[in-house]
Amino acid sequence: MKMQKLVTFAGAVLCASLCLSCMSTGGSGSSTKVKRIEASEVQDLSGYWNDKDVQIVCEGLINECVASPRISQFRAKNNRAPIVKLGKITNNSVEKIDTVIVANKFRSAIINNGVMEFVASDDEVAAIRNERNQQEDYANPATAAAQGNETGADYLLQGSIRTLVDEIEGKKTRTYYVNAELHDIETTRILWSSENSIRKYITTK
């Protein structure tokens, strides 16, 4: 009986060792290596939309937007920066693209530029209004945020992303078109519109 227990214990130890070995090698003898790289370093692995593409197209469009004469005209007329609300950046491409990253890139860069100011987007407003309603019901009136004091936006910034793909015999071009527009909320006029594109040439062996 004692010998049987020793054999059983030895078998359990061997099994545990084998499991740990499989976990450390990924179960197939392969291993994963990770190297941190600079954010500015371009790493095109698949040829699809990546972080560098976001940076390139957004910087170009943001620079055009803040330099628009309509913005300087508004500031001169009203003696203040225009207030902008971020609308939707629609993904009309053939691949899955996180448009929230693009939208946030636009907003952060423009806010930091100081030429325009932003109010919360629709999703953010819903959360803020809920908090304000909660304060109205439960917070000390002296500290509760007042209703009816939201800042109205002058402009709505929105845009879209599209792709055009052409391929033959292992060669492919994939072009991304990113459009952005600034709308006057009161008159619905389009005050500024521009498009930036990136074209990639991809070969497969």
Side-chain angles (χ1 to χ4, degrees):
M1 180 66 70
K2 184 178 293 184
M3 179 62 69
Q4 184 179 0
K5 288 183 177 179
L6 288 173
V7 171
T8 303
F9 177 74
V13 171
L14 177 61
C15 182
S17 299
L18 288 172
C19 288
L20 289 172
S21 177
C22 288
M23 290 172 63
S24 64
T25 59
S28 62
S30 62
S31 61
T32 300
K33 294 182 179 180
V34 177
K35 181 182 73 171
R36 303 205 186 286
I37 60 175
E38 295 295 330
S40 58
E41 184 176 340
V42 179
Q43 288 287 337
D44 273 305
L45 301 178
S46 65
Y48 287 99
W49 178 265
N50 60 31
D51 58 333
K52 191 62 178 180
D53 300 326
V54 175
Q55 180 182 342
I56 292 171
V57 297
C58 287
E59 283 182 356
L61 289 172
I62 290 164
N63 291 336
E64 289 185 42
C65 182
V66 298
S68 170
R70 296 291 181 89
I71 304 302
S72 56
Q73 290 168 9
F74 181 97
R75 294 176 69 96
K77 179 181 178 180
N78 298 279
N79 197 31
R80 66 173 175 83
I83 310 243
V84 183
K85 186 172 186 176
L86 186 62
K88 288 186 176 181
I89 306 295
T90 307
N91 178 24
N92 296 320
S93 72
V94 295
E95 64 188 78
K96 183 176 177 61
I97 292 177
D98 190 343
T99 57
V100 174
I101 295 175
V102 179
N104 288 341
K105 188 80 171 180
F106 273 129
R107 182 166 64 175
S108 297
I110 293 176
I111 289 175
N112 294 336
N113 186 281
V115 174
M116 293 186 283
E117 297 180 3
F118 273 81
V119 293
S121 64
D122 286 340
D123 291 340
E124 294 165 330
V125 164
I128 293 170
R129 287 174 179 170
N130 179 65
E131 171 60 24
R132 195 164 58 236
N133 291 335
Q134 295 278 351
Q135 290 188 16
E136 187 176 42
D137 291 335
Y138 302 109
N140 186 319
T143 63
Q147 300 280 11
N149 286 330
E150 293 182 13
T151 300
D154 303 298
Y155 300 149
L156 181 69
L157 177 65
Q158 54 190 5
S160 63
I161 303 173
R162 292 175 169 80
T163 54
L164 183 63
V165 179
D166 186 24
E167 61 182 308
I168 186 173
E169 298 177 351
K171 300 176 182 179
K172 179 186 298 185
T173 58
R174 182 181 286 117
T175 309
Y176 296 89
Y177 300 92
V178 182
N179 170 266
E181 295 181 344
L182 201 60
H183 296 254
D184 186 308
I185 293 177
E186 183 173 344
T187 65
T188 72
R189 290 182 301 166
I190 300 176
L191 302 180
W192 168 83
S193 178
S194 187
E195 183 177 81
N196 204 347
S197 63
I198 288 179
R199 177 172 295 173
K200 299 185 178 186
Y201 178 67
I202 307 156
T203 59
T204 55
K205 297 180 180 179

